[in-house]
Amino acid sequence: MTTMIRQAGRATGRLLVAALMTFGTCLFVTVLLIAAIGTLVVVGAWMLPEAVLLIRRIAGAERRQVAGWTGREIPEAYEPLTGTLRERLRTAVRDPGTLADLRWMAAHYVYGWLVLLALPLWPVGLVVDGVWCGLLRRDPVVLPWVVRLADIEARWSAALLEPSPKARLAARVRALTETRADAIAAHGAELRRIERDLHDGAQARLVALSLRIGLAQRAFDRDPDSARKLMEDAQDQAEQALTELRHVVRGIHPPILTDRGLTGAVRALAAGSGLEVTVRVEGLLDSGGSGSSGGSGGSGGRGFEDSGAAGPSGGPGAVAGSRGYREPAAVEAAAYFAVAEALTNVVKHSRSPRASVELVRLRNGLRAVVRDEGLGGADESVGSGLLGIRRRVAALDGVVSVDSPAGGPTTIAVELPCVW
Protein backbone atom coordinates (compact mmCIF):
# COMPACT_ATOMS: atom_id res chain seq x y z
CA MET A 1 0.00 0.00 0.00
CA THR A 2 2.81 2.42 0.85
CA THR A 3 4.51 1.72 -2.49
CA MET A 4 1.24 2.29 -4.33
CA ILE A 5 0.72 5.62 -2.56
CA ARG A 6 4.21 6.74 -3.62
CA GLN A 7 3.56 5.71 -7.23
CA ALA A 8 0.21 7.46 -7.27
CA GLY A 9 1.79 10.59 -5.76
CA ARG A 10 4.46 10.62 -8.45
CA ALA A 11 1.78 10.12 -11.12
CA THR A 12 -0.28 12.98 -9.66
CA GLY A 13 2.78 15.23 -9.78
CA ARG A 14 3.26 14.30 -13.44
CA LEU A 15 -0.39 15.14 -14.17
CA LEU A 16 -0.13 18.45 -12.29
CA VAL A 17 2.87 19.44 -14.39
CA ALA A 18 0.93 18.55 -17.53
CA ALA A 19 -2.02 20.66 -16.36
CA LEU A 20 0.25 23.63 -15.61
CA MET A 21 1.79 23.27 -19.05
CA THR A 22 -1.68 23.20 -20.59
CA PHE A 23 -2.60 26.38 -18.71
CA GLY A 24 0.60 28.02 -19.96
CA THR A 25 -0.09 27.04 -23.55
CA CYS A 26 -3.59 28.48 -23.23
CA LEU A 27 -1.98 31.81 -22.39
CA PHE A 28 0.46 31.31 -25.24
CA VAL A 29 -2.41 31.18 -27.75
CA THR A 30 -2.64 34.97 -27.42
CA VAL A 31 1.00 35.35 -28.43
CA LEU A 32 0.51 32.95 -31.34
CA LEU A 33 -2.53 34.85 -32.60
CA ILE A 34 -0.68 38.17 -32.40
CA ALA A 35 2.22 36.64 -34.34
CA ALA A 36 -0.12 35.27 -37.02
CA ILE A 37 -1.97 38.56 -37.41
CA GLY A 38 1.31 40.48 -37.47
CA THR A 39 2.57 38.17 -40.22
CA LEU A 40 -0.56 38.75 -42.30
CA VAL A 41 -0.12 42.52 -42.11
CA VAL A 42 3.65 42.14 -42.71
CA VAL A 43 4.54 44.59 -39.92
CA GLY A 44 4.95 41.89 -37.30
CA ALA A 45 6.28 39.15 -39.57
CA TRP A 46 9.41 38.82 -37.42
CA MET A 47 7.25 37.55 -34.54
CA LEU A 48 6.22 34.28 -36.20
CA PRO A 49 9.67 32.61 -36.20
CA GLU A 50 10.14 33.65 -32.58
CA ALA A 51 6.73 32.19 -31.70
CA VAL A 52 7.66 28.94 -33.45
CA LEU A 53 10.90 28.80 -31.47
CA LEU A 54 8.90 29.23 -28.27
CA ILE A 55 6.56 26.41 -29.33
CA ARG A 56 9.61 24.21 -29.88
CA ARG A 57 10.84 24.96 -26.37
CA ILE A 58 7.43 24.10 -24.87
CA ALA A 59 7.27 20.86 -26.87
CA GLY A 60 10.85 20.08 -25.84
CA ALA A 61 9.91 20.51 -22.18
CA GLU A 62 7.02 18.08 -22.67
CA ARG A 63 9.36 15.59 -24.38
CA ARG A 64 11.68 15.70 -21.38
CA GLN A 65 8.76 15.22 -18.99
CA VAL A 66 7.49 12.23 -20.96
CA ALA A 67 11.00 10.76 -21.19
CA GLY A 68 11.37 11.11 -17.41
CA TRP A 69 8.11 9.25 -16.88
CA THR A 70 8.41 6.53 -19.53
CA GLY A 71 12.20 6.18 -19.69
CA ARG A 72 12.14 6.52 -23.49
CA GLU A 73 13.62 9.52 -25.23
CA ILE A 74 11.52 11.28 -27.88
CA PRO A 75 13.82 12.68 -30.58
CA GLU A 76 13.48 16.16 -32.03
CA ALA A 77 13.59 16.78 -35.78
CA TYR A 78 13.28 20.46 -36.65
CA GLU A 79 14.49 22.53 -39.55
CA PRO A 80 16.94 25.18 -38.25
CA LEU A 81 15.45 28.68 -38.22
CA THR A 82 18.36 30.58 -39.74
CA GLY A 83 18.97 32.99 -42.59
CA THR A 84 17.01 36.01 -43.68
CA LEU A 85 13.55 36.86 -42.38
CA ARG A 86 11.92 35.42 -45.49
CA GLU A 87 13.87 32.16 -45.14
CA ARG A 88 12.99 31.90 -41.45
CA LEU A 89 9.31 32.51 -42.22
CA ARG A 90 9.34 29.88 -44.95
CA THR A 91 11.03 27.35 -42.66
CA ALA A 92 8.70 28.10 -39.73
CA VAL A 93 5.61 27.56 -41.91
CA ARG A 94 6.78 24.55 -43.93
CA ASP A 95 8.61 22.61 -41.21
CA PRO A 96 6.65 19.39 -40.47
CA GLY A 97 7.72 19.72 -36.84
CA THR A 98 5.74 22.95 -36.49
CA LEU A 99 2.52 21.26 -37.58
CA ALA A 100 3.19 18.32 -35.24
CA ASP A 101 3.78 20.67 -32.29
CA LEU A 102 0.59 22.62 -33.03
CA ARG A 103 -1.37 19.37 -33.30
CA TRP A 104 0.02 18.25 -29.92
CA MET A 105 -0.77 21.63 -28.38
CA ALA A 106 -4.38 21.52 -29.58
CA ALA A 107 -4.87 17.97 -28.30
CA HIS A 108 -3.14 18.78 -25.01
CA TYR A 109 -5.78 21.41 -24.29
CA VAL A 110 -8.18 18.44 -23.93
CA TYR A 111 -6.23 15.61 -22.28
CA GLY A 112 -3.85 17.88 -20.34
CA TRP A 113 -6.51 18.24 -17.65
CA LEU A 114 -6.56 14.56 -16.69
CA VAL A 115 -5.38 15.65 -13.24
CA LEU A 116 -8.98 16.74 -12.62
CA LEU A 117 -9.94 13.07 -12.85
CA ALA A 118 -7.02 11.97 -10.68
CA LEU A 119 -7.62 14.29 -7.73
CA PRO A 120 -11.07 12.84 -6.78
CA LEU A 121 -9.57 9.35 -6.86
CA TRP A 122 -7.31 10.14 -3.91
CA PRO A 123 -9.91 10.32 -1.07
CA VAL A 124 -11.80 7.36 -2.53
CA GLY A 125 -8.59 5.40 -3.00
CA LEU A 126 -7.26 6.07 0.49
CA VAL A 127 -10.50 4.77 2.00
CA VAL A 128 -11.27 1.91 -0.34
CA ASP A 129 -7.72 0.70 -0.86
CA GLY A 130 -6.94 1.20 2.82
CA VAL A 131 -9.70 -1.23 3.75
CA TRP A 132 -9.15 -3.48 0.74
CA CYS A 133 -5.42 -3.81 1.37
CA GLY A 134 -5.28 -3.43 5.13
CA LEU A 135 -8.11 -5.76 6.14
CA LEU A 136 -8.48 -8.11 3.18
CA ARG A 137 -4.80 -8.17 2.14
CA ARG A 138 -5.71 -7.56 -1.51
CA ASP A 139 -4.01 -5.45 -4.15
CA PRO A 140 -5.18 -1.81 -4.39
CA VAL A 141 -7.86 -1.13 -7.01
CA VAL A 142 -8.46 2.65 -7.00
CA LEU A 143 -5.07 4.34 -6.68
CA PRO A 144 -3.59 2.39 -9.64
CA TRP A 145 -5.98 4.37 -11.83
CA VAL A 146 -4.02 7.51 -10.98
CA VAL A 147 -0.92 5.86 -12.40
CA ARG A 148 -2.88 4.71 -15.46
CA LEU A 149 -4.03 8.27 -16.12
CA ALA A 150 -0.43 9.46 -16.04
CA ASP A 151 0.52 6.63 -18.42
CA ILE A 152 -2.28 7.63 -20.79
CA GLU A 153 -1.21 11.28 -20.76
CA ALA A 154 2.44 10.35 -21.44
CA ARG A 155 1.52 7.84 -24.15
CA TRP A 156 -0.66 10.37 -26.03
CA SER A 157 2.01 13.06 -25.80
CA ALA A 158 4.68 10.64 -27.02
CA ALA A 159 2.55 9.65 -30.00
CA LEU A 160 1.80 13.27 -30.95
CA LEU A 161 5.34 14.58 -30.46
CA GLU A 162 7.07 11.73 -32.31
CA PRO A 163 8.75 13.19 -35.43
CA SER A 164 7.14 12.25 -38.73
CA PRO A 165 9.06 10.10 -41.24
CA LYS A 166 9.46 13.20 -43.42
CA ALA A 167 10.96 15.18 -40.53
CA ARG A 168 13.27 12.28 -39.63
CA LEU A 169 14.42 12.05 -43.25
CA ALA A 170 15.09 15.80 -43.40
CA ALA A 171 17.08 15.65 -40.14
CA ARG A 172 19.00 12.66 -41.47
CA VAL A 173 19.86 14.49 -44.68
CA ARG A 174 21.09 17.50 -42.70
CA ALA A 175 23.23 15.29 -40.48
CA LEU A 176 24.73 13.51 -43.48
CA THR A 177 25.42 16.84 -45.18
CA GLU A 178 27.23 18.13 -42.11
CA THR A 179 29.25 14.96 -41.63
CA ARG A 180 30.16 14.90 -45.31
CA ALA A 181 31.39 18.48 -45.07
CA ASP A 182 33.41 17.59 -41.97
CA ALA A 183 34.80 14.51 -43.70
CA ILE A 184 35.82 16.55 -46.73
CA ALA A 185 37.47 19.15 -44.51
CA ALA A 186 39.28 16.47 -42.52
CA HIS A 187 40.35 14.73 -45.73
CA GLY A 188 41.69 18.01 -47.11
CA ALA A 189 43.58 18.72 -43.90
CA GLU A 190 45.03 15.19 -43.97
CA LEU A 191 46.17 15.59 -47.58
CA ARG A 192 47.83 18.91 -46.73
CA ARG A 193 49.56 17.28 -43.75
CA ILE A 194 50.85 14.44 -45.89
CA GLU A 195 52.03 16.86 -48.56
CA ARG A 196 53.77 19.00 -45.93
CA ASP A 197 55.42 15.98 -44.32
CA LEU A 198 56.63 14.71 -47.69
CA HIS A 199 57.84 18.13 -48.83
CA ASP A 200 59.56 19.16 -45.62
CA GLY A 201 60.77 15.72 -44.57
CA ALA A 202 61.32 12.88 -47.02
CA GLN A 203 61.64 15.05 -50.13
CA ALA A 204 64.26 17.31 -48.55
CA ARG A 205 66.29 14.33 -47.42
CA LEU A 206 66.05 12.67 -50.85
CA VAL A 207 67.30 15.88 -52.50
CA ALA A 208 70.23 15.99 -50.06
CA LEU A 209 70.85 12.29 -50.78
CA SER A 210 70.97 12.95 -54.51
CA LEU A 211 73.43 15.83 -54.04
CA ARG A 212 75.74 13.74 -51.88
CA ILE A 213 75.74 10.86 -54.38
CA GLY A 214 76.58 13.32 -57.16
CA LEU A 215 79.44 14.84 -55.14
CA ALA A 216 80.72 11.35 -54.32
CA GLN A 217 80.73 10.41 -58.00
CA ARG A 218 82.78 13.48 -58.94
CA ALA A 219 85.22 13.00 -56.04
CA PHE A 220 85.61 9.24 -56.46
CA ASP A 221 88.65 9.34 -58.76
CA ARG A 222 90.66 12.17 -57.22
CA ASP A 223 89.72 11.79 -53.51
CA PRO A 224 88.44 8.29 -52.61
CA ASP A 225 88.41 9.04 -48.86
CA SER A 226 86.19 12.07 -49.34
CA ALA A 227 83.95 10.08 -51.67
CA ARG A 228 83.67 7.31 -49.09
CA LYS A 229 82.66 9.87 -46.43
CA LEU A 230 80.05 11.33 -48.78
CA MET A 231 78.64 7.84 -49.44
CA GLU A 232 78.39 7.21 -45.70
CA ASP A 233 76.51 10.48 -45.31
CA ALA A 234 74.29 9.46 -48.23
CA GLN A 235 73.49 6.19 -46.49
CA ASP A 236 72.51 8.08 -43.32
CA GLN A 237 70.31 10.38 -45.40
CA ALA A 238 68.65 7.37 -47.04
CA GLU A 239 67.89 5.82 -43.65
CA GLN A 240 66.45 9.11 -42.35
CA ALA A 241 64.32 9.44 -45.51
CA LEU A 242 62.98 5.93 -44.97
CA THR A 243 62.14 6.84 -41.38
CA GLU A 244 60.27 9.94 -42.57
CA LEU A 245 58.35 7.87 -45.13
CA ARG A 246 57.40 5.28 -42.51
CA HIS A 247 56.13 8.10 -40.31
CA VAL A 248 53.95 9.42 -43.15
CA VAL A 249 52.63 5.94 -43.94
CA ARG A 250 51.76 5.34 -40.28
CA GLY A 251 49.73 8.55 -40.36
CA ILE A 252 47.72 7.28 -43.33
CA HIS A 253 47.12 3.70 -42.20
CA PRO A 254 49.39 2.23 -39.53
CA PRO A 255 51.01 -0.98 -40.82
CA ILE A 256 50.48 -2.56 -37.42
CA LEU A 257 46.74 -2.60 -38.13
CA THR A 258 47.35 -4.72 -41.20
CA ASP A 259 49.81 -6.99 -39.42
CA ARG A 260 48.17 -7.45 -36.01
CA GLY A 261 44.62 -6.15 -36.33
CA LEU A 262 42.88 -3.65 -34.07
CA THR A 263 43.38 -5.51 -30.80
CA GLY A 264 47.09 -6.06 -31.41
CA ALA A 265 47.54 -2.44 -32.48
CA VAL A 266 45.70 -1.18 -29.38
CA ARG A 267 47.87 -3.36 -27.16
CA ALA A 268 50.94 -1.83 -28.81
CA LEU A 269 49.52 1.63 -28.05
CA ALA A 270 48.92 0.58 -24.44
CA ALA A 271 52.44 -0.79 -24.09
CA GLY A 272 54.00 2.37 -25.49
CA SER A 273 51.79 4.89 -23.71
CA GLY A 274 53.79 5.14 -20.48
CA LEU A 275 50.63 4.24 -18.51
CA GLU A 276 49.26 1.17 -16.82
CA VAL A 277 46.55 0.31 -19.31
CA THR A 278 44.00 -2.49 -18.96
CA VAL A 279 42.80 -3.72 -22.37
CA ARG A 280 39.53 -5.62 -22.47
CA VAL A 281 38.42 -7.30 -25.70
CA GLU A 282 34.98 -8.80 -26.27
CA GLY A 283 33.98 -10.67 -29.38
CA LEU A 284 36.77 -9.38 -31.67
CA LEU A 285 39.61 -11.19 -33.38
CA ASP A 286 42.41 -11.03 -30.84
CA SER A 287 45.99 -11.36 -32.05
CA GLY A 288 47.46 -10.43 -28.68
CA GLY A 289 48.06 -12.55 -25.63
CA SER A 290 45.97 -13.27 -22.61
CA GLY A 291 46.65 -12.88 -18.96
CA SER A 292 48.59 -10.07 -17.30
CA SER A 293 51.63 -8.74 -19.01
CA GLY A 294 54.17 -6.19 -18.04
CA GLY A 295 56.01 -5.91 -21.33
CA SER A 296 57.25 -2.48 -22.26
CA GLY A 297 56.48 -0.73 -25.51
CA GLY A 298 58.84 0.74 -28.00
CA SER A 299 58.67 4.14 -26.34
CA GLY A 300 59.52 2.90 -22.89
CA GLY A 301 55.96 2.43 -21.75
CA ARG A 302 55.13 0.89 -18.41
CA GLY A 303 53.24 -1.94 -20.03
CA PHE A 304 49.64 -3.07 -19.90
CA GLU A 305 47.32 -5.61 -18.41
CA ASP A 306 45.06 -7.70 -20.59
CA SER A 307 41.83 -9.12 -19.29
CA GLY A 308 39.69 -11.71 -21.01
CA ALA A 309 36.11 -10.86 -21.84
CA ALA A 310 32.96 -12.62 -22.80
CA GLY A 311 32.92 -13.65 -26.40
CA PRO A 312 29.98 -13.32 -28.73
CA SER A 313 28.40 -16.49 -27.47
CA GLY A 314 28.92 -15.64 -23.82
CA GLY A 315 31.84 -18.02 -23.45
CA PRO A 316 35.45 -17.27 -22.66
CA GLY A 317 37.01 -14.08 -23.90
CA ALA A 318 38.57 -13.74 -27.31
CA VAL A 319 42.20 -14.48 -26.66
CA ALA A 320 45.15 -15.48 -28.80
CA GLY A 321 44.24 -18.20 -31.21
CA SER A 322 40.52 -18.02 -30.44
CA ARG A 323 37.84 -17.47 -33.05
CA GLY A 324 36.88 -13.82 -33.49
CA TYR A 325 35.70 -11.17 -35.90
CA ARG A 326 37.80 -8.82 -38.02
CA GLU A 327 36.30 -5.38 -38.47
CA PRO A 328 36.40 -3.48 -41.81
CA ALA A 329 39.59 -1.52 -42.50
CA ALA A 330 37.95 1.93 -42.29
CA VAL A 331 36.30 1.11 -38.96
CA GLU A 332 39.53 -0.40 -37.71
CA ALA A 333 41.52 2.73 -38.55
CA ALA A 334 38.94 5.09 -37.03
CA ALA A 335 38.82 3.11 -33.78
CA TYR A 336 42.62 2.90 -33.64
CA PHE A 337 43.14 6.64 -34.08
CA ALA A 338 40.37 7.42 -31.56
CA VAL A 339 42.02 5.20 -28.92
CA ALA A 340 45.45 6.66 -29.75
CA GLU A 341 44.20 10.24 -29.35
CA ALA A 342 42.34 9.40 -26.13
CA LEU A 343 45.42 7.77 -24.57
CA THR A 344 47.52 10.75 -25.67
CA ASN A 345 45.07 13.05 -23.87
CA VAL A 346 45.35 10.91 -20.74
CA VAL A 347 49.14 11.26 -20.80
CA LYS A 348 49.08 15.00 -21.52
CA HIS A 349 46.20 16.26 -19.41
CA SER A 350 44.68 13.81 -16.93
CA ARG A 351 47.67 13.20 -14.59
CA SER A 352 46.38 9.68 -14.10
CA PRO A 353 48.90 6.80 -14.09
CA ARG A 354 46.24 4.32 -15.17
CA ALA A 355 43.68 3.95 -17.94
CA SER A 356 41.49 1.28 -19.41
CA VAL A 357 40.53 0.47 -23.00
CA GLU A 358 37.51 -1.60 -23.92
CA LEU A 359 36.86 -2.98 -27.41
CA VAL A 360 33.46 -4.61 -27.82
CA ARG A 361 31.82 -6.15 -30.86
CA LEU A 362 28.22 -4.97 -31.08
CA ARG A 363 25.51 -6.54 -33.15
CA ASN A 364 25.79 -3.87 -35.82
CA GLY A 365 29.03 -2.16 -34.98
CA LEU A 366 32.05 -1.70 -32.76
CA ARG A 367 32.43 0.19 -29.49
CA ALA A 368 35.73 1.51 -28.17
CA VAL A 369 35.83 3.08 -24.68
CA VAL A 370 38.80 4.75 -22.98
CA ARG A 371 38.53 5.61 -19.28
CA ASP A 372 40.89 7.25 -16.82
CA GLU A 373 40.69 8.42 -13.21
CA GLY A 374 42.37 11.76 -13.84
CA LEU A 375 41.40 15.39 -13.35
CA GLY A 376 38.48 15.40 -15.79
CA GLY A 377 37.08 18.60 -17.23
CA ALA A 378 37.89 17.75 -20.86
CA ASP A 379 36.94 20.71 -23.08
CA GLU A 380 36.27 19.99 -26.74
CA SER A 381 36.62 23.66 -27.65
CA VAL A 382 40.27 23.64 -26.60
CA GLY A 383 42.66 21.86 -28.94
CA SER A 384 41.85 19.69 -31.92
CA GLY A 385 42.13 16.18 -30.48
CA LEU A 386 38.50 15.48 -29.55
CA LEU A 387 37.26 17.43 -32.57
CA GLY A 388 39.46 15.28 -34.79
CA ILE A 389 37.97 12.14 -33.24
CA ARG A 390 34.45 13.42 -33.86
CA ARG A 391 35.18 14.26 -37.50
CA ARG A 392 36.82 10.94 -38.23
CA VAL A 393 34.01 8.99 -36.55
CA ALA A 394 31.23 11.12 -38.07
CA ALA A 395 32.58 10.36 -41.55
CA LEU A 396 31.62 6.72 -40.87
CA ASP A 397 28.25 7.69 -39.36
CA GLY A 398 29.52 6.87 -35.88
CA VAL A 399 28.86 8.49 -32.51
CA VAL A 400 31.28 9.93 -29.95
CA SER A 401 30.31 10.61 -26.33
CA VAL A 402 32.54 12.39 -23.84
CA ASP A 403 31.79 12.28 -20.11
CA SER A 404 34.38 14.28 -18.19
CA PRO A 405 33.11 16.06 -15.08
CA ALA A 406 35.52 18.25 -13.15
CA GLY A 407 37.56 16.03 -10.87
CA GLY A 408 37.12 13.00 -13.12
CA PRO A 409 36.75 10.35 -14.20
CA THR A 410 36.85 10.85 -17.96
CA THR A 411 35.18 8.42 -20.35
CA ILE A 412 35.43 8.70 -24.12
CA ALA A 413 33.20 6.23 -25.96
CA VAL A 414 33.16 5.70 -29.73
CA GLU A 415 30.53 3.61 -31.52
CA LEU A 416 31.12 2.79 -35.19
CA PRO A 417 28.55 0.99 -37.36
CA CYS A 418 29.76 -1.91 -39.48
CA VAL A 419 28.56 -5.15 -40.99
CA TRP A 420 30.20 -8.32 -39.66
Side-chain angles (χ1 to χ4, degrees):
M1 181 65 180
T2 304
T3 303
M4 189 67 252
I5 290 176
R6 283 199 296 267
Q7 292 177 353
R10 182 168 173 261
T12 304
R14 164 76 189 117
L15 292 172
L16 282 173
V17 171
L20 291 174
M21 188 171 293
T22 302
F23 179 73
T25 53
C26 288
L27 299 178
F28 176 71
V29 170
T30 305
V31 178
L32 191 59
L33 289 175
I34 294 174
I37 295 172
T39 303
L40 291 176
V41 298
V42 181
V43 177
W46 61 271
M47 294 182 62
L48 186 60
E50 300 301 323
V52 170
L53 284 175
L54 188 54
I55 292 175
R56 292 181 179 182
R57 294 190 184 97
I58 295 173
E62 177 66 10
R63 286 187 178 92
R64 290 189 293 273
Q65 291 291 331
V66 172
W69 178 257
T70 63
R72 186 179 71 87
E73 295 290 335
I74 303 176
E76 292 185 354
Y78 294 120
E79 294 281 346
L81 290 178
T82 57
T84 63
L85 178 58
R86 177 174 295 183
E87 292 172 343
R88 297 178 70 205
L89 280 172
R90 186 184 300 114
T91 302
V93 173
R94 295 181 179 179
D95 184 7
T98 302
L99 179 60
D101 289 348
L102 290 175
R103 186 170 59 243
W104 161 76
M105 191 175 290
H108 204 247
Y109 291 149
V110 178
Y111 72 84
W113 301 103
L114 286 175
V115 67
L116 298 180
L117 298 178
L119 292 178
L121 292 175
W122 271 98
V124 177
L126 290 176
V127 174
V128 174
D129 289 342
V131 174
W132 191 253
C133 298
L135 297 180
L136 302 179
R137 305 295 182 183
R138 302 291 183 86
D139 294 333
V141 294
V142 178
L143 289 180
W145 280 100
V146 179
V147 180
R148 292 191 185 99
L149 288 175
D151 289 338
I152 291 172
E153 193 277 336
R155 188 161 56 247
W156 287 350
S157 291
L160 290 170
L161 291 173
E162 191 76 23
S164 66
K166 184 178 179 181
R168 287 179 178 271
L169 179 61
R172 181 64 175 159
V173 170
R174 283 197 309 275
L176 290 176
T177 302
E178 293 172 0
T179 56
R180 186 183 67 173
D182 287 341
I184 292 174
H187 180 66
E190 189 71 9
L191 287 178
R192 289 190 296 272
R193 182 192 67 80
I194 294 171
E195 181 182 7
R196 184 175 62 252
D197 289 346
L198 290 174
H199 182 273
D200 298 341
Q203 178 176 307
R205 297 195 183 281
L206 289 174
V207 170
L209 171 62
S210 177
L211 289 174
R212 280 178 169 75
I213 292 175
L215 290 173
Q217 287 177 339
R218 286 192 290 270
F220 187 77
D221 292 330
R222 67 175 186 272
D223 191 357
D225 293 335
S226 178
R228 188 179 297 107
K229 179 65 169 64
L230 288 172
M231 291 302 294
E232 291 175 356
D233 291 343
Q235 184 178 5
D236 292 338
Q237 289 287 342
E239 292 175 355
Q240 292 174 6
L242 285 173
T243 302
E244 294 283 350
L245 287 173
R246 291 193 189 98
H247 177 73
V248 173
V249 170
R250 280 197 296 270
I252 300 172
H253 187 84
I256 193 172
L257 282 176
T258 304
D259 298 338
R260 299 177 57 184
L262 179 60
T263 56
V266 167
R267 286 197 173 86
L269 284 174
S273 65
L275 301 169
E276 296 176 9
V277 183
T278 301
V279 179
R280 177 175 176 269
V281 180
E282 182 176 340
L284 298 176
L285 185 64
D286 194 341
S287 59
S290 62
S292 296
S293 172
S296 60
S299 60
R302 294 166 58 183
F304 63 90
E305 296 176 357
D306 177 25
S307 62
S313 60
V319 296
S322 67
R323 183 167 176 248
Y325 299 84
R326 182 71 182 262
E327 52 283 333
V331 173
E332 198 174 61
Y336 173 83
F337 283 114
V339 172
E341 181 62 38
L343 289 178
T344 300
N345 287 342
V346 174
V347 174
K348 292 171 60 177
H349 305 297
S350 75
R351 299 183 185 176
S352 173
R354 288 175 296 277
S356 65
V357 179
E358 182 179 289
L359 302 175
V360 181
R361 173 185 179 265
L362 306 177
R363 181 178 179 183
N364 296 312
L366 167 72
R367 181 171 67 237
V369 182
V370 179
R371 297 185 181 89
D372 70 78
E373 302 294 330
L375 300 177
D379 187 357
E380 297 187 48
S381 64
V382 178
S384 59
L386 293 176
L387 179 60
I389 293 176
R390 286 197 181 276
R391 284 182 171 176
R392 187 181 290 271
V393 171
L396 298 176
D397 204 20
V399 178
V400 179
S401 62
V402 179
D403 182 16
S404 183
T410 296
T411 302
I412 299 176
V414 173
E415 289 196 11
L416 293 159
C418 67
V419 179
W420 300 95

